[in-house]
Amino acid sequence: MKLLVHICCGPCAIYPLKKVLEGKIEVCGFFYNPNIHPYTEYRKRLDAVKILAEKMDLRIIYNDEYSMEEFIRNTINNVSARCVYCYTSRLEATAKAAVKNGFDFFSSSLLYSRYQDHEQIKHIGLGMAEKFGVHFYYNDFRIGWKEGIRESKRMSLYRQQYCGCIFSEKERYIGTEAG
Ligand code: SF4
């Protein structure tokens, strides 16, 4: 079994990667997180993933594409539904990369977060699997939430304070009330 694991950020990827590396699986990471705001924050997250790859001795394919404009174009008219677009774009890119690079399964560190819509991610992942003819490796990695946090602190990995896009960066400071 060859598995490509989408990585949104270092801290969220630790537990899923540890779990899949325990099995008889060939694992490779796939970094893709194109809408992080501001760009300096994007670089911090990318650098943290590079550090993690070294510490875990893991091969990672980097899609170092930064397309904030495209994200805004596709979400500005319905900001409250933006996460569905965000999950879809990440999982679609991962499924395509899995097919292109000869993996038979793909998964995502998004399945680790307690702050994301887990069922929606699962649903989109299964849909992408069907669309591109590759399997979606589903696991409820949220069970390892505390372990992932502990490990990221032990590794002194950069830990972000908000989800990532420009809207979540605003909400970090002033919430959603301001529209
Ligand atoms: S809040 Fe997070 S998951 Fe939702 S669109 Fe922004 S970056 Fe993506």
Side-chain angles (χ1 to χ4, degrees), residues 35 71 82-83 86-87 90 116 163-165 168:
N35 62 353
F71 169 73
R82 67 188 185 269
C83 299
C86 189
Y87 302 150
R90 283 154 170 69
Q116 306 295 349
C163 194
C165 66
S168 64

Side-chain angles (χ1 to χ4, degrees), residues 3 22 27 110 124 136 175:
L3 172 67
E22 281 169 5
V27 180
L110 291 168
I124 295 169
F136 183 56

Side-chain angles (χ1 to χ4, degrees), residues 6-14 31-33 45-46 48-49 52 109 157-158 160 163:
H6 164 249
I7 296 176
C8 55
C9 67
C12 286
I14 294 174
F31 175 80
Y32 181 58
N33 212 1
R45 296 188 193 194
L46 174 57
V49 171
L52 181 67
S109 59
L157 221 56
Y158 172 67
Q160 66 269 12
C163 194

